[in-house]
Amino acid sequence: GIQESAHHYIGARRGDQLLGWLSLVPDDEPLQIAVAMLVVHPDHQRQGIGRSLVLHALRQAAGEVFSVTTAAGNVPALALYRELGFIEYRRGTLGPAALEVVKLRMRSGASAGAADLPGPRP
């Protein structure tokens, strides 16, 4: 399934052990790349692996706009993305349980403000 997927995957390994991975896809909004998933093995969380994966993706596509959607209550994820320079610009709900989510974005390789990004303003 991974080989046939439209996702682009980046992994972090130590020896033969996969510590975490990130997947990227074209966002539903034009001109943005979405971080579809960021997963770090529970035994290796809080070691900078997720941060390193996101930073690697940002460096590989300098100048591109990246977005990410996460649960509004996912404090660690929101802190990570905000520390990396992502700016919240949309809130909504997903699914039958109406999970509250936050969408953030940033232009990679730049200290761009929200005015430099496409689409609706916060």
Side-chain angles (χ1 to χ4, degrees):
I2 289 176
Q3 291 178 334
E4 296 170 5
S5 170
H7 291 230
H8 177 79
Y9 293 90
I10 301 169
R13 296 179 14 185
R14 184 175 297 133
D16 291 336
Q17 184 178 17
L18 181 64
L19 306 178
W21 56 274
L22 172 134
S23 67
L24 302 169
V25 296
D27 196 349
D28 292 339
E29 296 181 64
L31 305 174
Q32 291 186 167
I33 300 168
V35 175
M37 289 192 144
L38 174 60
V39 179
V40 176
H41 188 283
D43 292 344
H44 301 284
Q45 292 177 352
R46 299 281 194 244
Q47 298 176 19
I49 294 165
R51 175 183 305 277
S52 293
L53 287 165
V54 174
L55 287 171
H56 179 77
L58 294 172
R59 281 192 300 271
Q60 295 303 307
E64 297 294 326
V65 177
F66 280 77
S67 68
V68 64
T69 302
T70 190
N74 189 342
V75 175
L78 287 170
L80 169 66
Y81 291 118
R82 287 178 176 142
E83 287 172 14
L84 292 174
F86 283 78
I87 299 167
E88 178 182 333
Y89 75 101
R90 182 171 292 156
R91 285 184 175 256
T93 58
L94 286 178
L99 175 68
E100 185 180 0
V101 295
V102 176
K103 191 164 185 180
L104 306 100
R105 67 180 167 193
M106 72 171 292
R107 184 174 306 278
S108 64
S111 55
D116 297 324
L117 296 170
R121 303 293 183 250

